[in-house]
Amino acid sequence: MGRAPCCEKESVKRGPWTPEEDAKLLACISQHGTGSWRTLPKKAGLQRCGKSCRLRWTNYLRPDLKHGRFSDHEEQMIVKLHAALGSRWSLIAAQLPGRTDNDVKNYWNTRLKKKLCEMGIDPITHKPISQLLADLAGSISIPKGGQIAEAALGCFKDDMLNVLMRKRPDWQLEGCVPSSSATASGLHLWELGMPAQVISPPKSTLINIYETSRQDDVAMSKVDSMMMFKNQIPSTLQSKLPPPLPNNMPSELLHGTQPLMTDNEKRTLSISSYPYSFTCQEEDMNKTVMDAILDNTSFPSDSRPLQISYGREASSSKPTAWMLESSMESLAPYTALGLHVGAAAPQLPQQHQHSLFLNFLQQQQQEESSPSESRNTKMQLDSAPDTNMAWSPGGSGSSCSSTSLGMGGNEQTTSSLDGVLSSDALLWDFSDLSSIIS
DNA sequence: AATGCAGACAACCGCACTCCT
DNA sequence: AAGGAGTGCGGTTGTCTGCAT
């Protein structure tokens, strides 16, 4: 059995409170306190629901409440706290003595939101609208990107979604080189020997991306977009992708802790059975380790141990290689597909990327079929046996390339995405997804 | 003076979580 | 353990008021 209902809805009064009702409520609370809202209306002689009494008390009658207009200081506090907390009105109000969450919410909705818009600041992201416009236009590599950004920043959500949902034509791969018209059609997934699929995420996903970009920041939306993109890779193809990095990585590489190293000290890490190879030259020590890795990424024709030379920058407190595991683990599916992710890093020639992945798949196919079979690059991946096509780290035939990984920063941040990606650390740039196949 | 409109804010609604029986 | 009320919270609606036409 549950509790008895707090009131009978049909018999309670609703709407604005009269001074008489306020007086009754105040008298009752001063006599009995606020312990039981359920029984309070009866005690006070009010035809009100207990919930209504509670709201009236907490939002209006409490003696410690301020009722005047918000001061400039309070206004600034609300803006700053909203930027940090979002619409967590109760948390914001807790920092403003005498103000309730309802007060803050109303003041935000009626005054501050409008004021920020007039100042050219997006009230949701708290970023300059011009910056959002540029970010959005540059980061979404789909047709009419400018229109999308314009629509988004003009708060024309439906317009944006309509543009996003515009149907894009499918296209056929010709030796893994898409036609230029296909390139212009947006995000594509490389699949060898079968019609490439144009990524067309569900509307709910697009709404999520849109909301994320509006409410959190543009970078996070890129991360979400990339995760969405990952989910579009067919399971048959995912099974052929490289495994995560092994667990025996140094903690400073895995977790971003400051390495216990002296300035400019250099260490080398070797991990067997992983088909990537990285080397870092001595002269690169003035760079971050990740930059150095990117500059010196090599693409072995056969499987080699993973070699990472890493160090700490002199006179720098930044962690230097903290993002390595997450970035490699997360990017492997895309890089194995020949996708370039990121903007800052040097690019491997496209033909090299494609041929390496092609070679890998060819060799995998060879292993499972008879040696005499043709090395046809056309593979029907959906019909290929998954188990035999799985990536085999360190296998004699493994040959795959990691493409350039663009890293936008080195500061360690926390991420809500299971720590996989950091909005500050990874700058996904979808424009490169289309440029790679152009 | 009557009407329409917009701004401000109080109040309500509905959901999620907690607590009680 | 389960069901239902209590509570907290964010979003939305309703009402009042002042101003313009």
Side-chain angles (χ1 to χ4, degrees):
Chain A
M1 278 291 289
R3 291 180 173 176
C6 70
C7 59
E8 295 183 17
K9 292 199 172 186
E10 59 270 21
S11 65
V12 299
K13 182 174 180 287
R14 295 169 60 186
W17 281 64
T18 65
E20 292 75 24
E21 287 176 315
D22 283 346
K24 284 181 181 177
L25 180 58
L26 278 170
C28 184
I29 288 174
S30 64
Q31 189 178 351
H32 301 103
T34 59
S36 172
W37 292 111
R38 182 166 61 94
T39 58
L40 190 144
K42 195 172 182 179
K43 288 180 193 166
L46 290 165
Q47 298 294 313
R48 291 277 183 173
C49 171
K51 185 174 180 176
S52 179
C53 294
R54 180 171 58 86
L55 281 173
R56 183 63 179 173
W57 169 257
T58 56
N59 287 338
Y60 195 80
L61 294 177
R62 255 169 50 202
D64 58 328
L65 294 181
K66 290 182 192 173
H67 289 290
R69 60 153 297 181
F70 282 75
S71 67
D72 289 344
H73 173 68
E74 287 176 314
E75 197 171 282
Q76 290 169 18
M77 285 283 287
I78 293 172
V79 172
K80 286 178 184 173
L81 289 167
H82 186 273
L85 301 171
S87 55
R88 309 282 297 277
W89 303 118
S90 59
L91 290 178
I92 295 172
Q95 307 303 315
L96 300 169
R99 302 296 187 184
T100 69
D101 54 353
N102 212 33
D103 289 339
V104 174
K105 181 174 56 181
N106 284 330
Y107 191 65
W108 173 266
N109 285 330
T110 58
R111 308 272 187 87
L112 291 181
K113 207 156 69 173
K114 198 182 305 174
K115 196 170 180 177
L116 288 176
C117 282
E118 288 169 356
M119 293 166 66
I121 297 172
D122 181 68
I124 297 173
T125 63
H126 292 264
K127 290 179 178 177
I129 290 174
S130 57
Q131 181 193 331
L132 288 179
L133 184 64
D135 285 352
L136 206 52
S139 63
I140 300 178
S141 175
I142 57 179
K144 315 289 186 184
Q147 290 179 11
I148 292 166
E150 188 179 349
L153 293 165
C155 299
F156 300 127
K157 182 176 175 177
D158 288 342
D159 288 353
M160 179 184 179
L161 292 174
N162 287 337
V163 176
L164 282 169
M165 290 300 293
R166 186 170 299 163
K167 181 163 173 61
R168 307 175 200 120
D170 287 348
W171 48 278
Q172 298 285 327
L173 268 179
E174 281 282 338
C176 296
V177 179
S179 67
S180 57
S181 61
T183 302
S185 68
L187 302 178
H188 301 89
L189 173 64
W190 285 91
E191 294 186 14
L192 303 177
M194 60 186 298
Q197 293 178 352
V198 176
I199 303 301
S200 183
K203 187 170 182 176
S204 59
T205 303
L206 292 173
I207 291 173
N208 286 339
I209 294 169
Y210 174 85
E211 294 295 350
T212 303
S213 68
R214 296 279 297 165
Q215 294 176 9
D216 294 325
D217 63 1
V218 170
M220 285 305 293
S221 79
K222 294 176 189 175
V223 173
D224 282 351
S225 303
M226 205 59 196
M227 299 312 289
M228 171 273 295
F229 180 71
K230 178 181 180 181
N231 293 335
Q232 297 287 332
I233 297 175
S235 58
T236 51
L237 199 53
Q238 289 199 31
S239 68
K240 304 166 185 60
L241 300 177
L245 283 174
N247 291 327
N248 57 341
M249 300 277 284
S251 62
E252 61 264 32
L253 286 179
L254 293 183
H255 305 301
T257 55
Q258 189 65 30
L260 298 173
M261 302 171 69
T262 58
D263 288 348
N264 293 324
E265 180 187 348
K266 183 182 177 183
R267 297 178 183 175
T268 300
L269 165 72
S270 292
I271 296 174
S272 60
S273 72
Y274 200 76
Y276 292 94
S277 176
F278 303 97
T279 57
C280 176
Q281 304 302 319
E282 195 71 40
E283 57 268 27
D284 290 319
M285 293 307 293
N286 61 337
K287 300 180 178 181
T288 66
V289 168
M290 183 52 81
D291 284 343
I293 289 173
L294 294 173
D295 286 351
N296 294 282
T297 300
S298 62
F299 300 91
S301 58
D302 56 358
S303 178
R304 297 186 208 170
L306 170 63
Q307 295 183 329
I308 303 171
S309 298
Y310 60 102
R312 193 178 75 162
E313 289 180 73
S315 66
S316 171
S317 60
K318 289 179 180 178
T320 50
W322 64 270
M323 65 179 73
L324 185 59
E325 182 203 41
S326 63
S327 61
M328 287 304 300
E329 186 176 356
S330 305
L331 292 177
Y334 316 115
T335 56
L337 286 169
L339 293 171
H340 170 79
V341 181
Q347 293 188 41
L348 194 69
Q350 303 304 308
Q351 294 81 354
H352 192 187
Q353 297 176 15
H354 301 155
S355 63
L356 284 170
F357 187 53
L358 270 175
N359 288 342
F360 162 70
L361 288 179
Q362 284 173 5
Q363 289 165 14
Q364 291 292 317
Q365 189 183 36
Q366 254 188 300
E367 286 177 4
E368 64 173 330
S369 58
S370 69
S372 61
E373 274 188 348
S374 162
R375 295 189 178 188
N376 189 350
T377 59
K378 295 276 186 184
M379 296 171 64
Q380 297 303 316
L381 294 176
D382 279 344
S383 59
D386 288 348
T387 51
N388 294 332
M389 286 292 289
W391 186 278
S392 56
S396 60
S398 294
S399 171
C400 185
S401 75
S402 165
T403 65
S404 307
L405 311 179
M407 301 299 160
N410 294 295
E411 292 180 10
Q412 185 175 8
T413 62
T414 58
S415 167
S416 61
L417 297 174
D418 299 324
V420 172
L421 299 168
S422 161
S423 60
D424 287 340
L426 299 175
L427 293 182
W428 304 100
D429 189 341
F430 280 117
S431 63
D432 288 323
L433 294 181
S434 57
S435 69
I436 190 174
I437 52 178
S438 59

